[in-house]
Amino acid sequence: MPTTTLITALIDGLAEGTVEVVDLTQPLSERTPVLKLPEPFANTPPLTRRALSRYDERGPMWAWDVLELGEHTGTHLDAPVHWVTGRDGEDVASVPPGRLVGPAVVIDKSAECAENPGYLLTVADLEAFEAEHGEIPEGAWVLLRSGWDARADDEAAFLNAGPDGPVTPGPDVEASRWLARARPLAGFGVETVGIDAGAAGTFDPPFPLHNFLLGAGRYGLTQLANLAQLPATGALIVVAPLRLVGGTGSPARVFAFVA
């Protein structure tokens, strides 16, 4: 089908209601959970805001604020330069727009994560998905559905810190290597606070998905919502971070087009 016809079909589908736009973004506010690192590491601040004017003597016809927040707050993109293995790679402003739009592939492990909050995605899981749905296409965003977005309004439940550290799902070491090397993905997304599992600091290497994925020039996407509304394959994802020069990451608005 010619490109113009495909675009026209998408426009018509949106107008007719046969294509739905699903917002995959968590609301961003002062209550948004943020990553908590142990001492002596520096932590990102939660979002705070200061009013510049509110239709008053500081600005009689307008309202606006000053925001302070970390690059990696809320639903956000991880650029390769976020991690030491990608330190010579792209910052947020350098990410080609074409890599921010692509097929969405949803691997649903919500049942497993309900039984085991520290569930680790394996290569066997990825191969089983491909056996059922076909090979993950070039430029795809692989999204891990864990059901974790249901916890987003409760910081303690969302971060799920135990006596030995956070307990959240994510890929194991070999799955992390597979995601970075076996398929030409654009990136990997999760509903949790970070792309690695909560226990990943104890893995070898530590934080393997950050290590392999960002080191391979790919991208991470965190704190997603509404993955339950997406099919396993067939949706189109649009990731829209700020075009932040030198940015290691950026809050993003993320949408999916679903037939």
Side-chain angles (χ1 to χ4, degrees):
M1 185 181 293
T3 302
T4 53
T5 306
L6 289 170
I7 294 172
T8 301
L10 176 59
I11 294 170
D12 290 344
L14 290 168
E16 295 165 0
T18 57
V19 174
E20 180 185 4
V21 181
V22 179
D23 195 343
L24 305 183
T25 317
Q26 289 287 359
L28 180 59
S29 75
E30 290 83 348
R31 297 181 61 247
T32 298
V34 296
L35 183 68
K36 301 264 192 316
L37 297 176
E39 293 183 351
F41 304 116
N43 274 294
T44 190
L47 181 147
T48 58
R49 68 185 98 198
R50 172 173 54 85
L52 284 173
S53 70
R54 276 294 180 276
Y55 324 110
D56 52 25
E57 67 281 357
R58 300 170 297 174
M61 291 179 287
W62 54 87
W64 55 350
D65 295 334
V66 174
L67 301 180
E68 181 185 17
L69 73 164
E71 296 171 314
H72 300 262
T73 302
T75 302
H76 67 270
L77 178 83
D78 289 348
V81 294
H82 175 48
W83 209 251
V84 63
T85 52
R87 65 193 305 169
D88 297 322
E90 296 163 344
D91 65 1
V92 178
S94 302
V95 177
R99 299 197 73 194
L100 297 173
V101 179
V105 170
V106 182
I107 298 177
D108 185 0
K109 292 298 176 184
S110 55
E112 289 85 347
C113 293
E115 292 290 327
N116 174 16
Y119 183 83
L120 297 180
L121 185 73
T122 66
V123 172
D125 290 331
L126 294 163
E127 291 176 342
F129 179 90
E130 289 197 325
E132 181 177 357
H133 299 285
E135 185 170 304
I136 296 169
E138 182 175 356
W141 285 81
V142 174
L143 311 177
L144 174 61
R145 182 187 167 211
S146 59
W148 215 260
D149 56 341
R151 301 172 178 239
D153 291 331
D154 182 339
E155 182 174 82
F158 188 79
L159 299 178
N160 204 34
D164 297 320
V167 181
T168 59
D172 68 12
V173 173
E174 291 309 313
S176 298
R177 186 179 283 111
W178 191 99
L179 289 163
R181 299 175 182 174
R183 299 289 180 269
L185 310 179
F188 182 81
V190 296
E191 298 164 324
T192 49
V193 75
I195 57 174
D196 268 296
T202 65
F203 295 175
D204 184 17
F207 306 104
L209 191 59
H210 280 85
N211 188 307
F212 296 132
L213 191 77
L214 302 186
R218 297 178 185 171
Y219 317 111
L221 193 57
T222 75
Q223 285 179 253
L224 295 169
N226 299 321
L227 294 185
Q229 298 182 37
L230 273 56
T233 62
L236 175 72
I237 191 171
V238 179
V239 182
L242 300 172
R243 195 175 181 184
L244 182 62
V245 175
T248 70
S250 168
R253 195 74 183 261
V254 185
F255 300 104
F257 293 90
V258 181

